mmCIF file of all heavy atoms in Angstrom:
data_model
loop_
_atom_site.group_PDB
_atom_site.id
_atom_site.type_symbol
_atom_site.label_atom_id
_atom_site.label_comp_id
_atom_site.label_asym_id
_atom_site.label_seq_id
_atom_site.Cartn_x
_atom_site.Cartn_y
_atom_site.Cartn_z
ATOM 1 N N ARG W 283 7.610 -18.359 46.773
ATOM 2 C CA ARG W 283 7.410 -16.954 46.811
ATOM 3 C C ARG W 283 6.932 -16.526 48.230
ATOM 4 O O ARG W 283 7.477 -15.531 48.847
ATOM 5 C CB ARG W 283 6.391 -16.461 45.729
ATOM 6 C CG ARG W 283 6.162 -15.004 45.740
ATOM 7 C CD ARG W 283 4.946 -14.628 44.876
ATOM 8 N NE ARG W 283 3.733 -15.151 45.532
ATOM 9 C CZ ARG W 283 2.583 -15.204 44.870
ATOM 10 N NH1 ARG W 283 2.498 -14.765 43.671
ATOM 11 N NH2 ARG W 283 1.528 -15.623 45.500
ATOM 12 N N ASP W 284 5.956 -17.235 48.740
ATOM 13 C CA ASP W 284 5.344 -16.897 50.010
ATOM 14 C C ASP W 284 6.305 -17.279 51.203
ATOM 15 O O ASP W 284 5.898 -17.107 52.340
ATOM 16 C CB ASP W 284 4.005 -17.589 50.132
ATOM 17 C CG ASP W 284 3.069 -17.045 49.024
ATOM 18 O OD1 ASP W 284 3.401 -16.024 48.416
ATOM 19 O OD2 ASP W 284 2.070 -17.756 48.833
ATOM 20 N N GLY W 285 7.365 -17.890 50.937
ATOM 21 C CA GLY W 285 8.342 -18.203 51.978
ATOM 22 C C GLY W 285 7.922 -19.494 52.674
ATOM 23 O O GLY W 285 8.522 -19.772 53.830
ATOM 24 N N ASP W 286 7.033 -20.233 52.176
ATOM 25 C CA ASP W 286 6.560 -21.561 52.832
ATOM 26 C C ASP W 286 7.665 -22.572 52.635
ATOM 27 O O ASP W 286 7.704 -23.564 53.322
ATOM 28 C CB ASP W 286 5.251 -21.979 52.248
ATOM 29 C CG ASP W 286 4.131 -21.049 52.575
ATOM 30 O OD1 ASP W 286 4.382 -20.227 53.429
ATOM 31 O OD2 ASP W 286 3.066 -21.128 51.905
ATOM 32 N N MET W 287 8.450 -22.375 51.578
ATOM 33 C CA MET W 287 9.490 -23.396 51.256
ATOM 34 C C MET W 287 10.695 -22.610 50.839
ATOM 35 O O MET W 287 10.591 -21.618 50.079
ATOM 36 C CB MET W 287 8.955 -24.234 50.221
ATOM 37 C CG MET W 287 8.280 -25.506 50.620
ATOM 38 S SD MET W 287 8.082 -26.777 49.356
ATOM 39 C CE MET W 287 7.506 -25.896 47.961
ATOM 40 N N PRO W 288 11.856 -23.084 51.195
ATOM 41 C CA PRO W 288 13.055 -22.534 50.648
ATOM 42 C C PRO W 288 13.205 -23.058 49.183
ATOM 43 O O PRO W 288 12.807 -24.112 48.932
ATOM 44 C CB PRO W 288 14.190 -22.972 51.552
ATOM 45 C CG PRO W 288 13.644 -24.229 52.091
ATOM 46 C CD PRO W 288 12.133 -24.200 52.147
ATOM 47 N N TYR W 289 13.927 -22.287 48.441
ATOM 48 C CA TYR W 289 14.293 -22.802 47.088
ATOM 49 C C TYR W 289 15.509 -23.717 47.189
ATOM 50 O O TYR W 289 16.558 -23.263 47.694
ATOM 51 C CB TYR W 289 14.571 -21.674 46.092
ATOM 52 C CG TYR W 289 14.691 -22.095 44.705
ATOM 53 C CD1 TYR W 289 13.553 -22.136 43.809
ATOM 54 C CD2 TYR W 289 15.952 -22.515 44.192
ATOM 55 C CE1 TYR W 289 13.687 -22.612 42.626
ATOM 56 C CE2 TYR W 289 15.983 -23.022 42.904
ATOM 57 C CZ TYR W 289 14.930 -23.030 42.080
ATOM 58 O OH TYR W 289 14.995 -23.542 40.777
ATOM 59 N N THR W 290 15.398 -24.811 46.705
ATOM 60 C CA THR W 290 16.480 -25.851 46.775
ATOM 61 C C THR W 290 16.916 -26.265 45.474
ATOM 62 O O THR W 290 16.135 -26.242 44.501
ATOM 63 C CB THR W 290 16.069 -27.127 47.615
ATOM 64 O OG1 THR W 290 14.975 -27.677 46.880
ATOM 65 C CG2 THR W 290 15.582 -26.719 48.985
ATOM 66 N N PRO W 291 18.200 -26.615 45.374
ATOM 67 C CA PRO W 291 18.700 -27.061 44.030
ATOM 68 C C PRO W 291 17.937 -28.311 43.428
ATOM 69 O O PRO W 291 17.789 -28.408 42.300
ATOM 70 C CB PRO W 291 20.180 -27.469 44.393
ATOM 71 C CG PRO W 291 20.471 -26.874 45.587
ATOM 72 C CD PRO W 291 19.283 -26.643 46.393
ATOM 73 N N GLU W 292 17.402 -29.130 44.386
ATOM 74 C CA GLU W 292 16.566 -30.220 43.911
ATOM 75 C C GLU W 292 15.440 -29.752 43.077
ATOM 76 O O GLU W 292 14.956 -30.308 42.099
ATOM 77 C CB GLU W 292 16.087 -31.062 45.032
ATOM 78 C CG GLU W 292 17.168 -31.803 45.808
ATOM 79 C CD GLU W 292 17.755 -31.042 46.923
ATOM 80 O OE1 GLU W 292 17.845 -29.809 46.741
ATOM 81 O OE2 GLU W 292 18.238 -31.654 47.836
ATOM 82 N N MET W 293 14.923 -28.604 43.465
ATOM 83 C CA MET W 293 13.801 -28.046 42.676
ATOM 84 C C MET W 293 14.205 -27.780 41.268
ATOM 85 O O MET W 293 13.435 -27.975 40.364
ATOM 86 C CB MET W 293 13.242 -26.801 43.394
ATOM 87 C CG MET W 293 12.432 -27.096 44.654
ATOM 88 S SD MET W 293 11.922 -25.550 45.352
ATOM 89 C CE MET W 293 11.060 -26.093 46.776
ATOM 90 N N THR W 294 15.405 -27.210 41.128
ATOM 91 C CA THR W 294 15.932 -26.855 39.872
ATOM 92 C C THR W 294 15.726 -28.145 38.901
ATOM 93 O O THR W 294 15.222 -27.934 37.777
ATOM 94 C CB THR W 294 17.364 -26.496 39.914
ATOM 95 O OG1 THR W 294 17.428 -25.357 40.783
ATOM 96 C CG2 THR W 294 17.902 -26.094 38.549
ATOM 97 N N ASP W 295 16.177 -29.248 39.396
ATOM 98 C CA ASP W 295 16.127 -30.424 38.514
ATOM 99 C C ASP W 295 14.704 -30.792 38.215
ATOM 100 O O ASP W 295 14.342 -31.143 37.030
ATOM 101 C CB ASP W 295 16.745 -31.585 39.269
ATOM 102 C CG ASP W 295 18.275 -31.281 39.567
ATOM 103 O OD1 ASP W 295 18.804 -30.617 38.672
ATOM 104 O OD2 ASP W 295 18.782 -31.727 40.561
ATOM 105 N N SER W 296 13.835 -30.698 39.192
ATOM 106 C CA SER W 296 12.453 -31.104 38.960
ATOM 107 C C SER W 296 11.851 -30.099 37.918
ATOM 108 O O SER W 296 11.096 -30.462 37.039
ATOM 109 C CB SER W 296 11.624 -30.995 40.189
ATOM 110 O OG SER W 296 12.178 -31.943 41.160
ATOM 111 N N PHE W 297 12.147 -28.813 38.092
ATOM 112 C CA PHE W 297 11.582 -27.808 37.130
ATOM 113 C C PHE W 297 12.096 -28.137 35.773
ATOM 114 O O PHE W 297 11.357 -28.060 34.804
ATOM 115 C CB PHE W 297 12.039 -26.408 37.647
ATOM 116 C CG PHE W 297 11.133 -25.839 38.609
ATOM 117 C CD1 PHE W 297 11.721 -25.176 39.758
ATOM 118 C CD2 PHE W 297 9.764 -25.835 38.556
ATOM 119 C CE1 PHE W 297 10.884 -24.639 40.786
ATOM 120 C CE2 PHE W 297 8.933 -25.287 39.530
ATOM 121 C CZ PHE W 297 9.490 -24.703 40.594
ATOM 122 N N PHE W 298 13.414 -28.394 35.663
ATOM 123 C CA PHE W 298 13.928 -28.642 34.272
ATOM 124 C C PHE W 298 13.272 -29.900 33.687
ATOM 125 O O PHE W 298 12.895 -29.897 32.519
ATOM 126 C CB PHE W 298 15.484 -28.831 34.359
ATOM 127 C CG PHE W 298 16.250 -27.585 34.322
ATOM 128 C CD1 PHE W 298 17.360 -27.457 35.170
ATOM 129 C CD2 PHE W 298 15.789 -26.464 33.632
ATOM 130 C CE1 PHE W 298 18.075 -26.219 35.192
ATOM 131 C CE2 PHE W 298 16.467 -25.303 33.632
ATOM 132 C CZ PHE W 298 17.524 -25.195 34.441
ATOM 133 N N GLU W 299 13.082 -30.888 34.508
ATOM 134 C CA GLU W 299 12.397 -32.048 34.032
ATOM 135 C C GLU W 299 11.033 -31.669 33.530
ATOM 136 O O GLU W 299 10.618 -32.142 32.421
ATOM 137 C CB GLU W 299 12.264 -33.135 35.157
ATOM 138 C CG GLU W 299 11.847 -34.502 34.586
ATOM 139 C CD GLU W 299 11.505 -35.479 35.678
ATOM 140 O OE1 GLU W 299 11.922 -35.166 36.839
ATOM 141 O OE2 GLU W 299 10.947 -36.452 35.399
ATOM 142 N N ALA W 300 10.336 -30.932 34.364
ATOM 143 C CA ALA W 300 8.976 -30.568 34.059
ATOM 144 C C ALA W 300 8.932 -29.769 32.665
ATOM 145 O O ALA W 300 8.084 -30.017 31.810
ATOM 146 C CB ALA W 300 8.353 -29.821 35.108
ATOM 147 N N LEU W 301 9.859 -28.780 32.602
ATOM 148 C CA LEU W 301 9.973 -27.926 31.481
ATOM 149 C C LEU W 301 10.234 -28.697 30.185
ATOM 150 O O LEU W 301 9.686 -28.478 29.059
ATOM 151 C CB LEU W 301 10.903 -26.790 31.666
ATOM 152 C CG LEU W 301 10.500 -25.774 32.676
ATOM 153 C CD1 LEU W 301 11.686 -24.735 32.985
ATOM 154 C CD2 LEU W 301 9.287 -24.998 32.145
ATOM 155 N N ASP W 302 11.165 -29.675 30.370
ATOM 156 C CA ASP W 302 11.433 -30.603 29.179
ATOM 157 C C ASP W 302 10.217 -31.291 28.784
ATOM 158 O O ASP W 302 9.986 -31.470 27.557
ATOM 159 C CB ASP W 302 12.577 -31.530 29.535
ATOM 160 C CG ASP W 302 13.958 -30.852 29.511
ATOM 161 O OD1 ASP W 302 13.971 -29.665 29.061
ATOM 162 O OD2 ASP W 302 14.994 -31.458 29.911
ATOM 163 N N ALA W 303 9.481 -31.825 29.747
ATOM 164 C CA ALA W 303 8.273 -32.518 29.439
ATOM 165 C C ALA W 303 7.333 -31.582 28.632
ATOM 166 O O ALA W 303 6.671 -32.036 27.583
ATOM 167 C CB ALA W 303 7.647 -33.046 30.639
#
Side-chain angles (χ1 to χ4, degrees):
Chain W
R283 181 192 65 191
D284 299 345
D286 295 346
M287 267 194 316
Y289 189 90
T290 61
E292 289 87 333
M293 285 180 179
T294 303
D295 297 328
S296 300
F297 277 132
F298 279 143
E299 184 189 352
L301 289 172
D302 280 354

